[in-house]
Amino acid sequence: MAQRKIEKSRRLFKRAQKVLVGGVNSPVRAFKSVGGFPSFVVRGRGSKIWDADGNPYIDYCLSWGPLILGHARPEIVSAAQKAAALGTSYGIPTEAEIHLAELIGGAFPSIQKIRLTNSGTEAVMTALRLARAFTKRDLIVKFSGAYHGHADNLLVQAGSGLTTLGSPDSAGVPKAFAETTLSLPYGDAASLQEAFQKWGTKIAAVIVEPVAGNMGTVVPEKKFLEALRNLTKKRGALLIFDEVITGFRFGFYGAQKIFGITPDLTCLGKIAGGGFPLAALGGRRDVMDYLSPLGPVYQGGTLSGNPVAVAAAIAALRLLKKENPYPALYEKTEKLVAGIKTEANLSRVSVSVNSFGPMFTVFFTDGPVYDYASAKKSDVKKYARFFHSLLNEGIYFPPAQFEACFLSSAHSDRDIEKTLAAVRRAF
Ligand SMILES: *Cc1c(COP(=O)(O)O)cnc(C)c1O
């Protein structure tokens, strides 16, 4: 395979590094964990993106999850254009916000009331503040390898033992903040039980990705999520499902429906925002009513419920509801994942492929991968070579091992075949 052209992206990255920190506006875009430098994108359409040097790529990153209907879906673009032409922001209520809240509420029976935010980080941050106010407790339990945005409290790694409090995972997070967070192994209900025994009367909430996407795709056992629900209920803590990735990813609902669990609060973003900066927090009415202006928990946003983003989100959710692309998405992903496994076997490459609906990760380990510790056994150098080999052939996987690949309704059988041919050569 000839090296693809990369001169324009190379020049752009040089220029970007002078004025943007690391040349990017979100760290993982900088290719640090795979080496090299990012391709600068100029446009997207359907399953594909094109970079500044004119190279096309079949995109399995999809803006890190939101674009389940593919890039620049005409109905979504035109809804945003129409809304923008009427005014891009008011800071005054609009009817469309009610409509979006009703649509989301219809898909998530656990969501009785909603607050729209601009990012998943904000939704999560608010959920924690709310849980703390409601329970009058301070501690938060999260799981190692989970990512819930970059709020101070959640940039925390596991302490030295199962039931020690966490330490900061980022500079600039006060130790005292990190110490309000317990980080436990994903999937390990026994350690949660232990944590509740030790800290039970102080735990305000347990926050979990019901299918993990941020250590790569990791699917929990149903009984783990059930244990979370039972333990939190018994101990007076709230259960927060961070469905920023999983919401509307598997169907016109959340992972909570698949596992039959009703969380107290749910965080949404990514798909729910239709590719725009929009996220949401929703849940039990009595908890949500703790939010200002009804309750004592402050939260606000100049651009929250932005009319352009809301119009795009409504358009996206309506399309998902109407077209039900999910069965086809499952089928295409199964075909791709089965093909990747076959190619790995034929080439004698050790991989463990985790998938759940239209979401998967190729881990470079014998596996199984069921939590962060087992995910970290992956050979990230091999992933980097795999990634670059695919990139060079016009296949865009996320530029880091511990991320999920996504499919969109725009991915065709031809895309899958091309991808499998490139995967074969990469292996
Ligand atoms: C992406 C993500 C977030 C953060 O959302 P942002 O919009 O990037 O702030 C939170 N939780 C999960 C599970 C995510 O995948």
Side-chain angles (χ1 to χ4, degrees), residues 147-166:
Y147 176 70
H148 301 289
H150 60 89
D152 279 343
N153 277 288
L154 290 165
L155 292 175
V156 168
Q157 49 185 287
S160 49
L162 282 187
T163 52
T164 53
L165 295 169

Side-chain angles (χ1 to χ4, degrees), residues 118-122 124 147-150 209 214 242 244-245 270:
N118 302 292
S119 71
T121 295
E122 267 184 85
V124 168
Y147 176 70
H148 301 289
H150 60 89
E209 290 180 68
N214 289 293
D242 182 349
V244 171
I245 284 186
K270 299 198 168 108

Side-chain angles (χ1 to χ4, degrees), residues 83-94 97 302-303 306-307:
L86 293 174
T88 57
S89 180
Y90 314 113
I92 300 170
T94 60
E97 292 160 74
T302 304
L303 293 176
N306 174 264

Side-chain angles (χ1 to χ4, degrees), residues 8-60:
K8 281 191 182 150
S9 281
R10 191 199 301 278
R11 276 205 303 274
L12 286 171
F13 192 52
K14 256 197 188 138
R15 204 174 119 208
Q17 283 172 297
K18 288 187 189 142
V19 286
L20 294 166
V21 180
V24 293
N25 283 306
S26 195
V28 73
R29 296 178 198 169
F31 276 37
K32 281 259 183 190
S33 71
V34 289
F37 57 88
S39 293
F40 279 62
V41 71
V42 290
R43 70 189 173 93
R45 183 86 182 177
S47 62
K48 295 191 191 63
I49 46 177
W50 283 263
D51 72 12
D53 291 282
N55 303 301
Y57 303 88
I58 300 169
D59 185 11
Y60 291 95

Side-chain angles (χ1 to χ4, degrees), residues 126-311:
T126 306
L128 299 189
R129 190 178 297 146
L130 204 47
R132 286 173 160 148
F134 186 80
T135 59
K136 303 191 169 52
R137 299 170 176 186
D138 286 341
L139 296 186
I140 302 293
V141 173
K142 72 178 278 282
F143 297 94
S144 307
Y147 176 70
H148 301 289
H150 60 89
D152 279 343
N153 277 288
L154 290 165
L155 292 175
V156 168
Q157 49 185 287
S160 49
L162 282 187
T163 52
T164 53
L165 295 169
S167 56
D169 214 6
S170 160
V173 175
K175 197 157 174 291
F177 282 22
E179 282 174 356
T180 62
T181 307
L182 281 156
S183 191
L184 305 177
Y186 192 76
D188 185 351
S191 74
L192 184 68
Q193 180 119 35
E194 221 178 297
F196 267 110
Q197 259 148 29
K198 185 157 180 193
W199 307 99
T201 57
K202 295 200 168 79
I203 294 173
V206 174
I207 183 164
V208 66
E209 290 180 68
V211 172
N214 289 293
M215 54 182 125
T217 307
V218 173
V219 186
E221 288 182 55
K222 184 175 180 189
K223 64 177 194 228
F224 168 63
L225 296 173
E226 282 168 350
L228 299 191
R229 179 64 283 181
N230 294 337
L231 279 165
T232 46
K233 196 171 242 167
K234 203 166 97 195
R235 300 288 192 147
L238 298 187
L239 179 61
I240 304 169
F241 266 24
D242 182 349
E243 298 229 36
V244 171
I245 284 186
T246 56
F248 300 106
R249 175 45 62 188
F250 312 121
F252 198 75
Y253 41 71
Q256 53 195 260
K257 172 163 175 194
I258 297 173
F259 290 101
I261 310 267
T262 305
D264 301 297
L265 294 174
T266 298
C267 301
L268 294 169
K270 299 198 168 108
I271 293 174
F276 279 72
L278 182 148
L281 160 71
R284 266 166 58 180
R285 184 177 297 108
D286 58 338
V287 180
M288 290 301 293
D289 282 350
Y290 261 61
L291 272 182
S292 185
L294 293 184
V297 175
Y298 188 72
Q299 192 277 349
T302 304
L303 293 176
S304 292
N306 174 264
V308 183
V310 166

